[in-house]
Amino acid sequence: MTGPTSTASLRPISTVAVLGAGTMGHGIAHVCALAGYTTLLFDVDPGVVGAALGKVDKNLQAGVDKGKLEATARARALEHLRGATDLAQACAGAQLVIEAVPERLELKHDVLGRAAAAAGPTAILATNTSSLCIARIAAGLPHPDRVIGTHFFNPVHIMKLLEVVVAEATAPDVLATVVDFGARIAKECITIKDSPGFATSRLGLVIGLEAIRMLEQGVGSAEDIDKAMTLGYGFPMGPLRLTDLVGLDVRLSIAEYLSTALAEGAHFRPPKLLRDLVAQGKLGKKSGEGFYRW
Ligand SMILES: NC(=O)c1ccc[n+]([C@@H]2O[C@H](COP(=O)([O-])OP(=O)(O)OC[C@H]3O[C@@H](n4cnc5c(N)ncnc54)[C@H](O)[C@@H]3O)[C@@H](O)[C@H]2O)c1
């Protein structure tokens, strides 16, 4: 399988390390293991790793139960997937490292820095950031030309899109390898220039934040605002339900960043209601309540 940028040579990948085993990390590990990559999943919280492996098992079983996956493919995926209790151990044999830790620049920079020290010098370092500047995450790392954005969508084992974000320094063979990897894990890739919010978060957040402002102003109920977009515009899910699924804390971090990073920052100013719900620990599906009860 080759992608549209296949004139550049590909870096061989057999082992993937996924750092951060939360909402996104467990899904990324799922699709990597299912595609036959040896996959190591690490989190600072060992309890999260155990829970994440359990979720992958459950989601694979759901695929079998729905007739979408052979039982043998599920068994093979589970054989390819292992938890790791140490970042260096997870990265040591990996040719591709994908970080999915919380959306904080200094944290991502630190995690990829430690991954760079543990993995070989040609290992690709990918970030699942939803909005942060790839060049700033890569700044100061050894071989910053191997850093690239791989923006997955939630739930990762179901959503088809992989937004590949290319910094000015990203090497052509790194881009070609990641697009090829995207095809192998059954994703459709788009290639987007490194700019705040890329294509998807910038567009999605404008609608998501406006829906929250409308709820705040009593324009309609959460259900009716969501129906405005599902029934009126054919969106598969309303913007408030989607915010619950993404995580209110995740969306707040992105809004805070885009409100300062883009010239159009005013569109991204976080609504008070979003800040209040996050302060109350109402983070959406993962905490049991956001705009809806789960
Ligand atoms: N939630 C979404 O729908 C979504 C979609 C696309 C991209 N993203 C992006 O993916 C990234 C992760 O988001 P998430 O929703 O999975 O967050 P999450 O809070 O569900 O998971 C993050 C995990 O990282 C772990 N972690 C924290 N520090 C760590 C470290 N130093 N090393 C290893 N693990 C560490 C945490 O324990 C947690 O389990 C963020 O950059 C976010 O913007 C999220």
Side-chain angles (χ1 to χ4, degrees):
M1 243 179 294
T2 51
T5 51
S6 59
T7 47
S9 58
L10 301 182
R11 298 189 186 192
I13 294 176
S14 58
T15 300
V16 181
V18 180
L19 309 178
T23 308
M24 297 306 287
H26 85 274
I28 296 169
H30 173 142
V31 296
C32 293
L34 188 61
Y37 294 102
T38 298
T39 305
L40 287 107
L41 181 58
F42 167 75
D43 197 285
V44 271
D45 182 343
V48 171
V49 176
L53 295 176
K55 277 188 225 160
V56 174
D57 191 346
K58 192 174 129 253
N59 289 337
L60 287 166
Q61 186 58 49
V64 174
D65 294 344
K66 287 179 189 153
K68 292 183 174 169
L69 193 66
E70 297 287 338
T72 49
R74 169 181 177 270
R76 262 201 316 276
L78 291 174
E79 276 168 25
H80 279 94
L81 179 61
R82 288 203 302 276
T85 50
D86 178 67
L87 182 144
Q89 174 219 342
C91 296
Q95 298 85 28
L96 171 62
V97 177
I98 304 174
E99 73 73 20
V101 301
E103 187 78 347
R104 295 201 302 274
L105 179 68
E106 50 316 329
L107 177 63
K108 287 181 182 291
H109 183 72
D110 172 65
V111 164
L112 283 189
R114 287 188 288 126
T122 59
I124 294 173
L125 306 176
T127 168
N128 188 49
T129 177
S130 308
S131 61
L132 299 172
C133 175
I134 308 299
R136 287 184 65 194
I137 293 175
L141 296 183
H143 311 293
D145 61 335
R146 61 183 167 149
V147 180
I148 191 163
T150 49
H151 185 202
F152 287 86
F153 293 80
N154 182 19
V156 179
H157 66 291
I158 292 177
M159 299 296 280
K160 288 296 292 176
L161 183 65
L162 177 59
E163 184 174 38
V164 179
V165 187
V166 187
E168 231 174 273
T170 305
D173 69 324
V174 169
L175 170 58
T177 304
V178 165
V179 170
D180 180 68
F181 162 78
R184 289 175 192 274
I185 58 170
K187 299 298 175 204
E188 183 94 28
C189 289
I190 55 172
T191 303
I192 299 293
K193 184 176 141 186
D194 185 17
S195 59
F198 323 131
T200 52
S201 297
R202 189 166 164 178
L203 287 169
L205 211 67
V206 168
I207 293 174
L209 295 175
E210 204 51 39
I212 299 169
R213 272 189 271 276
M214 287 162 63
L215 185 65
E216 202 172 56
Q217 292 163 9
V219 172
S221 65
E223 287 81 1
D224 283 352
I225 291 169
D226 274 349
K227 273 190 197 162
M229 300 313 285
T230 53
L231 302 183
Y233 286 86
F235 279 31
M237 187 184 292
L240 296 169
R241 187 170 290 277
L242 179 62
T243 301
D244 266 8
L245 210 65
V246 169
L248 274 65
D249 52 336
V250 173
R251 284 227 142 161
L252 176 59
S253 308
I254 301 169
E256 280 171 341
Y257 173 65
L258 293 186
S259 65
T260 55
L262 282 169
E264 304 75 12
H267 301 333
F268 298 95
R269 191 175 37 79
K272 181 173 181 305
L273 178 60
L274 179 61
R275 287 192 189 283
D276 289 349
L277 290 172
V278 171
Q280 291 162 29
K282 293 179 180 168
L283 307 181
K285 189 178 179 189
K286 64 184 165 187
S287 71
E289 189 178 347
F291 298 107
Y292 295 90
R293 280 182 196 278
W294 293 83

